Amino acid sequence: MKTAAFHTLGCKLNFAETSTIARQLTDAGYEKVSFEEKASVYIINTCSVTEAADKECRFHIRRALKANPDGLVIIIGCYAQLKPEEIAEMEGVDMVLGAKEKFNILSYLDDLEKTENFGVVHSCEIEEADFFIGSYSIGDRTRAFLKVQDGCDYKCTYCTIPLARGISRSDTIENVVRNAQEIAEKGIKEIVLTGVNIGDYGKGEFGNKKHDHTFLDLIKALDQVEGVERIRISSIEPNLLKDESIELVARSERFVPHFHIPLQSGSDVLLKKMKRRYLTQLYADRITKIRKVMPDAAIGVDVIVGFPGETQELFLETYHFLSNLPISYLHVFTYSERENTEAAAMEGAVPVQERKKRNKMLRILSEKKKTAFYESQLGKRFPVLWEHENKEGAMYGFTENYIRVQKPFDADSINQIEVVSLQQIENDGSVSIIPAFDRFLERV
């Protein structure tokens, strides 16, 4: 029996694509096994967002070789597209597949042999990645990541994603709905929409610039899919999050009140240097709109610290802007120079230690925001989707508005939606609950 093991680094989109590639191999007769087990082939799906991409890649190559020194090691993903030759020189790598080739992995496997020095490279020019492959992950019994869009046409000066994934392009509404129905039929209760720039949904499969449909058209169609209990929007640019979409989520029975909206900087000076497509006023307006129609919504924010030219004064602009926004939590990224980006050549580099200091300040602010948000929800009732893990006698789940809750483990609750009342914040940051009287949610 041929066996295959997979490890995924990075974003939800990578998880969706790994799962799709895994299904290709199982359909072809491979048995999927744990990454720690002896396998015929190990596939590592890489990320390029952090500067530690090479270290992470090497670490998981060593893990694979420890499990089976004779196993084939294949590297795919954004890092593989950006630096295929560099990866091919890493000890133990047998093949590197770029953005176009990763979905054709089966056509390369039969003739692949263990190499001694230099891995085989199959990598296209990124301009050739002008097609769309629909994907979704089903590794978790409670939620699935559903890919609806890929690539990006934005030119943010710090970002390599367009170089790694190509132009913005989308699946058809018909295919997305079909995939959502398949997910629902597998008993999975929650779908998370994912892509590189999902608010740009609608550009055709081959990246034609005319939008055949809009993001609003997409979520309207998904809101009608029977059997799907919850749909969560992963991350969406503020300039592409329109009032109509916010209002649809507010009145929907399926879309949950949770938004993750990248900011990157609270300084208009830096937003312009980053070539973002909005300024702070538009961002604040989006938050105000959400809070008006969904007072209990969770709102997450991405922010970058240490961008070139970020003086102490400009950093404090960001800090105070975020401090005054009614948001729920932050994802804080420390800027790192990336090859072939405009920002890497900019003057005004911030010392690394200062970048770390600013990151810590915003992470502390994030904890304060999260605690304040959780405290504002105590005593209220929400549906919770319980997950399957038993963690030292406790099980965890998330409310619709992304509050992590816990209760004693109960196998009958796994993958069930239960209405609960939020009680108090525990030492691990989750919230304890008591069941509501009408505790189990059934869709009529």
Side-chain angles (χ1 to χ4, degrees), residues 283-343:
Y283 194 93
D285 290 345
R286 297 296 82 211
I287 304 302
T288 299
K289 174 64 178 179
I290 293 168
R291 282 278 170 255
K292 181 180 179 181
V293 296
M294 286 172 279
D296 293 327
I299 304 175
V301 181
D302 287 341
V303 61
I304 296 171
V305 296
F307 188 79
E310 185 186 64
T311 62
Q312 182 68 10
E313 291 74 22
L314 294 180
F315 168 71
L316 290 175
E317 275 191 42
T318 294
Y319 186 92
H320 293 306
F321 180 72
L322 289 167
S323 183
N324 292 324
L325 278 181
I327 57 175
S328 310
Y329 62 91
L330 303 172
H331 285 173
V332 186
F333 299 89
T334 300
Y335 172 77
S336 60
E337 288 77 3
R338 312 311 307 280
E339 290 182 26
N340 301 315
T341 60
E342 285 186 56

Side-chain angles (χ1 to χ4, degrees), residues 303 305 312 315-316 319-320 322 330 332 354-368:
V303 61
V305 296
Q312 182 68 10
F315 168 71
L316 290 175
Y319 186 92
H320 293 306
L322 289 167
L330 303 172
V332 186
E354 183 62 27
R355 299 181 202 183
K356 292 179 179 179
K357 176 183 174 183
R358 294 174 186 179
N359 181 297
K360 184 176 180 180
M361 286 179 66
L362 286 185
R363 283 189 287 112
I364 291 171
L365 177 63
S366 179
E367 284 302 312
K368 291 179 179 177

Side-chain angles (χ1 to χ4, degrees), residues 413-433:
S413 293
I414 293 172
N415 199 34
Q416 297 300 311
I417 293 178
E418 179 184 6
V419 179
V420 303
S421 177
L422 307 186
Q423 291 302 291
Q424 67 179 24
I425 302 174
E426 300 297 327
N427 291 335
D428 65 356
S430 66
V431 176
S432 58
I433 59 96

Side-chain angles (χ1 to χ4, degrees), residues 226-294:
E226 294 294 331
V228 177
E229 296 288 342
R230 288 180 168 185
I231 306 175
R232 198 176 296 273
I233 299 169
S234 58
S235 179
I236 185 166
E237 294 287 304
N239 53 301
L240 297 175
L241 180 58
K242 307 299 184 182
D243 283 355
E244 295 83 359
S245 297
I246 295 171
E247 290 162 0
L248 185 146
V249 172
R251 63 177 181 267
S252 171
E253 291 186 351
R254 292 183 171 84
F255 279 89
V256 298
H258 176 204
F259 295 87
H260 195 92
I261 311 171
L263 170 66
Q264 312 307 13
S265 176
S267 161
D268 286 343
V269 171
L270 291 181
L271 287 175
K272 291 174 183 178
K273 286 188 71 175
M274 292 176 173
K275 292 189 177 177
R276 301 293 286 164
R277 300 196 179 192
Y278 55 86
L279 296 176
T280 52
Q281 186 58 58
L282 183 145
Y283 194 93
D285 290 345
R286 297 296 82 211
I287 304 302
T288 299
K289 174 64 178 179
I290 293 168
R291 282 278 170 255
K292 181 180 179 181
V293 296
M294 286 172 279

